[in-house]
Amino acid sequence: MKQIALTGLKPSGAPHIGNYLGMLKPSLELAEKFQALYFIPDYHALTTVRDRKQLADLTYQAAATWLALGLNPDEEIIYRQSDIPEVFELAWALSCFTAKGLLNRAHAYKAIVDDNIAAGREADKNINIGLFTYPVLMAADILLFGTHFVPVGLDQQQHLEITRDVALTFNKNYGNVLTIPEAVIRKEVMTIPGTDGRKMSKSYNNVIPIFAPPEQVLKPVKRIVTDSKRPEEPKDPDECNIFAIYQHFAEADAVAAKRQLYLEGGLAYGAMKQELFELLDSAFADKRDRYNALMNNTDELDRILENGAEKARAIAAPIMAKVRKAIGVST
Ligand code: TRP
């Protein structure tokens, strides 16, 4: 059997260009070489999303995103985390092999603690245990399937290190039971700037969506921050937020020509923005239609996800049996 590539797309709303270039596109490329298991970690979202309709809708959005971008459910395996009860069983077992100090140092948890302390609040104010043990559940997501490769954004690097650490601790006690996974992080696409020049991120309100109607893509593209150089002035393309996005969508020779135009002078930012918009529109128009069609047919999404869960559980079952046997609980 092919080696396994696995990743989770958190149900956190409509995807933007930063998600697409940083994680979705590289993942779909890996799926050509490996057996892909791409899932939606809906129970992870429960650490913050408390509205049942919202959680269900966000989960459909994430599933439709994978499928609209070309994930083929006949070859790749797509499922909801909550359809795989073994994940939660394994999470418990792994939690008994996770040093609490390791989780104390996890970035997401630590950031909230630091905020609390800075504001003079109790360190763990508003932190639930689900948020604290989030990395353990993620380790279970990965280790349950004998995963070899995990394509993720740079922000998930520490979670992968925790996963490996926990798996090694488990194996040290029981022998070679769990496969030690490797993160696949494409550093060159980790610095996609948003419209204000900071990293593109929903929390900065600087995103360019990929499935929104054209006018909602054009608006943020027009807002991309540039310097105030006139068209005839020479410019450094590597300092330009428009070019930073453009170069990932245009053909190589067009990128080279554009680079030349920046350097020599003659490029107007307004025209460059229009060109970027047209490129994005042609890259995503069909995918947007497919996304909308899927979001209007959640029965079809349910069918695909249930089908995927069945295939995923077939891979998980023998691994979970091995884990149970190793530990000495009921088999
Ligand atoms: N923590 C990941 C994120 O925030 C989502 C995730 C959950 C995940 N489980 C995973 C990613 C397993 C890769 C593998 O994006």
Side-chain angles (χ1 to χ4, degrees):
M1 198 171 123
K2 284 187 194 168
Q3 289 189 306
I4 288 185
L6 173 146
T7 196
L9 176 62
K10 237 177 123 177
S12 56
H16 55 71
I17 283 174
N19 304 137
Y20 175 72
L21 292 172
M23 190 278 211
L24 295 163
K25 183 163 171 259
S27 300
L28 290 163
E29 283 164 10
L30 273 199
E32 290 167 20
K33 244 184 38 215
F34 302 107
Q35 173 61 63
L37 278 87
Y38 291 171
F39 72 101
I40 300 112
D42 49 353
Y43 257 127
H44 268 120
L46 186 58
T47 57
T48 52
V49 182
R50 295 296 160 75
D51 179 293
R52 90 170 67 85
K53 263 195 72 199
Q54 191 194 2
L55 183 58
D57 189 56
L58 290 170
T59 302
Y60 284 134
Q61 287 183 32
T65 295
W66 279 127
L67 295 164
L69 292 177
L71 186 142
N72 174 354
D74 295 327
E75 285 176 24
E76 277 83 71
I77 302 177
I78 177 170
Y79 58 96
R80 271 181 292 238
Q81 178 190 45
S82 58
D83 277 329
I84 319 287
E86 291 88 346
V87 168
F88 310 96
E89 181 185 351
L90 182 59
W92 170 259
L94 294 176
S95 75
C96 299
F97 291 84
T98 307
K100 179 166 175 286
L102 197 62
L103 299 184
N104 286 342
R105 290 188 292 276
H107 298 317
Y109 168 70
K110 224 174 138 277
I112 305 176
V113 169
D114 291 348
D115 275 359
N116 278 339
I117 291 172
R121 293 186 291 260
E122 193 199 329
D124 281 332
K125 178 113 183 129
N126 290 331
I127 297 176
N128 61 64
I129 286 289
L131 190 123
F132 184 67
T133 60
Y134 183 110
V136 182
L137 183 55
M138 179 160 163
D141 288 332
I142 297 168
L143 299 172
L144 180 62
F145 299 95
T147 302
H148 300 93
F149 300 106
V150 187
V152 280
L154 198 53
D155 61 327
Q156 297 299 310
Q157 187 165 31
Q158 189 194 33
H159 284 152
L160 263 294
E161 281 159 15
I162 294 172
T163 299
R164 288 166 59 92
D165 190 305
V166 171
L168 288 166
T169 308
F170 188 93
N171 282 356
K172 207 164 151 205
N173 196 73
Y174 295 117
N176 246 340
V177 177
L178 300 171
T179 302
I180 309 299
E182 242 175 81
V184 182
I185 297 174
R186 297 259 297 268
K187 297 220 164 62
E188 74 280 8
V189 285
M190 286 308 138
T191 47
I192 306 301
T195 53
D196 61 357
R198 293 187 288 174
K199 179 185 157 74
M200 192 179 289
S201 161
K202 218 168 297 162
S203 51
Y204 292 155
N205 220 340
N206 64 359
V207 307
I208 302 172
I210 63 176
F211 295 138
E215 62 278 9
Q216 287 175 33
V217 176
L218 181 59
K219 237 208 230 147
V221 167
K222 281 193 171 156
R223 258 204 325 262
I224 297 175
V225 172
T226 63
D227 58 31
S228 52
K229 288 206 172 85
R230 282 168 289 116
E232 59 277 17
E233 287 182 72
K235 308 169 182 70
D236 180 355
D238 297 319
E239 294 281 301
C240 178
N241 294 322
I242 316 168
F243 188 83
I245 300 173
Y246 172 89
Q247 63 182 343
H248 293 290
F249 290 95
E251 300 292 337
D253 47 350
V255 175
K258 204 58 88 184
R259 175 175 285 281
Q260 203 57 29
L261 192 61
Y262 269 87
L263 294 170
E264 284 171 0
L267 179 128
Y269 289 131
M272 185 66 187
K273 287 179 176 177
Q274 184 61 31
E275 210 171 312
L276 173 61
F277 165 71
E278 279 161 24
L279 265 180
L280 294 176
D281 196 55
S282 67
F284 292 113
D286 292 351
K287 298 179 168 83
R288 178 179 62 226
D289 291 346
R290 173 138 175 76
Y291 177 85
N292 289 331
L294 285 163
M295 286 305 291
N296 284 319
N297 189 354
T298 52
D299 286 350
E300 168 77 354
L301 285 173
D302 280 329
R303 197 187 56 73
I304 292 171
L305 291 169
E306 280 157 26
N307 206 354
E310 214 172 292
K311 292 192 242 174
R313 288 189 75 186
I315 300 174
I319 296 175
M320 197 60 223
K322 223 164 103 181
V323 167
R324 284 172 152 247
K325 192 161 170 237
I327 295 175
V329 295
S330 165
T331 49

